[in-house]
Amino acid sequence: MKIVTIIGARPQFIKSAVISKLFLEQGIDEIVVHTGQHFDADMSDVFFEELRLPSPRYNLDIHGLSHGAMTGKMLEGIENVLIYEKPDGVLVYGDTNSTLAGALAARKLHIPVAHVEAGLRSFNMLMPEEINRILTDRISNLLFCPSELSKDNLRKEGIMASKDYKIVISGDIMYDCALLFASYAKSPMLSIEFPYLLCTIHRAENTDDIEKLKCIINTLEEISKETVVILPLHPRTRAKLTACGCALDDSPIKFISPVGYLEMIWLIDHSELVITDSGGVQKEAYYFQKPCVTLRDETEWVELVEHGYNKLVGADKENIISAIHYFLATKLAWNNNLYGDGHAGEIIVQELIESWN
Ligand code: UDP
């Protein structure tokens, strides 16, 4: 069996690690296409090295363009690969432009598509990720949902199991990743003061609105007077902060370069709590039993909010500070079964073999 995997952004490299390992064990011929969306050493290469990902057979080297141009170029590049390779199916992850381009190119060539992380919704159509998710789910044949709720979302949109669609609740592949790599977690080469809070910011809704971004940074600077805040800086956020004249070196926030996954899970595991607008980091906080303050107005991972592990605070100073104080003063009772049992990878690969072999 031959499967083409489309990846291009940091979270996709991480999610693919578990499945690529299982493909290798099962003797499945996996052809990895890297679209090039993330390309710097610390946003791409480090994951291939640390997580021992198979080297991409194709690197389309597409980045730094507008959404339309990027997706269009990817569509063309992926189509060429698929026409040449003639795989039994195409596997896409998450919600990036690479996800949508991969699914669309395959489906138009009548090649079956599997989507890992199907059915997640923020119900905010201003997010490019939401558009990518909805369209990818609509044209995928195998939809792997992390939870019952994500399956319900598909049902409400009219995507039902049929000859063309199969919906499988696999659990969250990122839980598998956290379990697989937890024992390899390693401290980044930094002097770290404990206790600390760990923060990431990269969502367009925060970085593209400079007033919002400044408000978040000012709030974190205020919090830094009480507790150290470590912030591995996404290139997009760094560019925005630099452009608006923010003096990163003079800030009390400990800004560092993006770290590899093994360092990131170490940083989460040793933190007091996590402050983020990332989808993946919200769940990793939960997997490592850390409360999460989410710098957004909504989340796709609503179970975390409902269970009291996560608070949505937007970019509002008072809300951010009060959520941090609340979590620092509260002992939570952790239940670790919201997104499956850590065997999503096995379920996904077994289903692919049954469906496509
Ligand atoms: N991550 C990382 N290094 C960092 C920041 C994040 O390895 O400096 C990992 C993080 O642990 C998670 C993934 O990147 O597994 C999340 O990616 P990101 O926040 O870019 O995207 P999202 O999950 O929001 O789509």
Side-chain angles (χ1 to χ4, degrees):
M1 182 163 74
K2 188 198 257 193
I3 293 184
V4 166
T5 297
I6 310 292
I7 50 179
R10 173 168 69 185
Q12 293 166 334
F13 308 141
I14 295 164
K15 287 166 198 165
S16 72
V18 169
I19 307 258
S20 289
K21 183 170 173 286
L22 290 168
F23 281 161
L24 198 66
E25 285 166 15
Q26 295 284 336
I28 293 169
D29 182 14
E30 182 186 32
I31 293 160
V32 175
V33 178
H34 187 329
T35 60
Q37 203 172 333
H38 283 164
F39 55 95
D40 331 33
D42 52 12
M43 293 296 286
S44 174
D45 300 355
V46 64
F47 300 99
F48 285 85
E49 286 153 22
E50 274 191 349
L51 309 183
R52 296 169 193 250
L53 303 182
S55 299
R57 197 85 59 92
Y58 298 88
N59 192 327
L60 305 181
D61 204 18
I62 299 165
H63 48 81
L65 299 167
S66 65
H67 279 275
M70 194 194 291
T71 313
K73 275 190 186 275
M74 287 177 184
L75 191 55
E76 188 180 7
I78 295 168
E79 184 179 61
N80 287 336
V81 172
L82 297 182
I83 289 170
Y84 180 75
E85 294 287 352
K86 298 185 178 50
D88 296 297
V90 168
L91 181 58
V92 296
Y93 293 91
D95 54 21
T96 68
N97 292 338
S98 307
T99 315
L100 176 59
L104 194 50
R107 194 65 204 244
K108 291 237 175 150
L109 292 168
H110 304 172
I111 299 169
V113 180
H115 183 206
V116 174
E117 272 196 1
L120 293 173
R121 297 291 181 265
S122 65
F123 301 99
N124 176 356
M125 287 296 278
L126 294 176
M127 286 178 77
E129 295 91 341
E130 182 76 352
I131 299 164
N132 292 337
R133 289 180 197 124
I134 292 174
L135 298 179
T136 301
D137 284 339
R138 185 64 189 81
I139 55 175
S140 293
N141 306 81
L142 280 174
L143 297 123
F144 293 108
C145 295
S147 63
E148 191 67 52
L149 202 103
S150 43
K151 183 175 176 183
D152 278 353
N153 287 337
L154 295 177
R155 227 182 270 134
K156 284 183 197 144
E157 286 173 17
I159 300 182
M160 308 290 279
S162 70
K163 196 163 75 58
D164 260 359
Y165 291 98
K166 183 162 184 187
I167 304 173
V168 176
I169 299 181
S170 58
D172 179 22
I173 193 69
M174 293 193 88
Y175 187 28
D176 294 30
C177 295
L179 293 173
L180 177 65
F181 293 110
S183 58
Y184 302 100
K186 56 183 185 190
S187 162
M189 306 294 279
L190 300 169
S191 63
I192 293 177
E193 269 177 67
F194 298 91
Y196 66 85
L197 315 182
L198 180 69
C199 180
T200 75
I201 308 167
H202 79 289
R203 283 254 103 69
E205 69 205 60
N206 285 327
T207 59
D208 290 1
D209 181 336
I210 209 64
E211 287 314 312
K212 253 184 170 183
L213 185 58
K214 278 186 180 166
C215 175
I216 293 171
I217 295 297
N218 288 341
T219 308
L220 295 173
E221 291 188 337
E222 197 156 319
I223 286 289
S224 299
K225 291 179 196 155
E226 300 169 27
T227 318
V228 174
V229 176
I230 301 181
L231 201 162
L233 205 46
H234 190 284
R236 179 199 286 163
T237 318
R238 179 179 289 277
K240 296 282 179 179
L241 287 172
T242 311
C244 75
C246 259
L248 301 181
D249 292 340
D250 299 336
S251 171
I253 300 168
K254 191 170 174 68
F255 289 109
I256 59 174
S257 298
V259 293
Y261 180 70
L262 302 181
E263 291 82 357
M264 186 64 185
I265 57 176
W266 187 96
L267 283 170
I268 293 172
D269 196 24
H270 289 79
S271 70
E272 297 304 301
L273 62 77
V274 169
I275 307 162
T276 192
D277 60 10
S278 157
V281 176
Q282 287 177 62
K283 282 172 300 149
E284 285 160 355
Y286 165 65
Y287 297 140
F288 289 93
Q289 305 198 338
K290 303 295 166 182
C292 184
V293 174
T294 298
L295 303 167
R296 291 179 54 195
D297 296 322
E298 72 282 310
T299 180
E300 300 75 32
W301 304 99
V302 282
E303 297 88 349
L304 299 176
V305 178
E306 284 168 3
H307 282 75
Y309 302 134
N310 186 329
K311 278 190 184 289
L312 298 173
V313 295
D316 181 89
K317 183 174 182 174
E318 300 303 313
N319 287 346
I320 299 172
I321 292 177
S322 78
I324 291 173
H325 286 160
Y326 166 80
F327 278 133
L328 289 178
T330 308
K331 198 162 168 45
L332 300 175
W334 293 94
N335 146 3
N336 255 327
N337 291 313
L338 292 180
Y339 299 115
D341 60 3
H343 290 95
E346 277 110 314
I347 294 171
I348 291 167
V349 171
Q350 195 51 42
E351 185 60 50
L352 293 178
I353 292 172
E354 280 167 26
S355 301
W356 291 352
N357 213 359

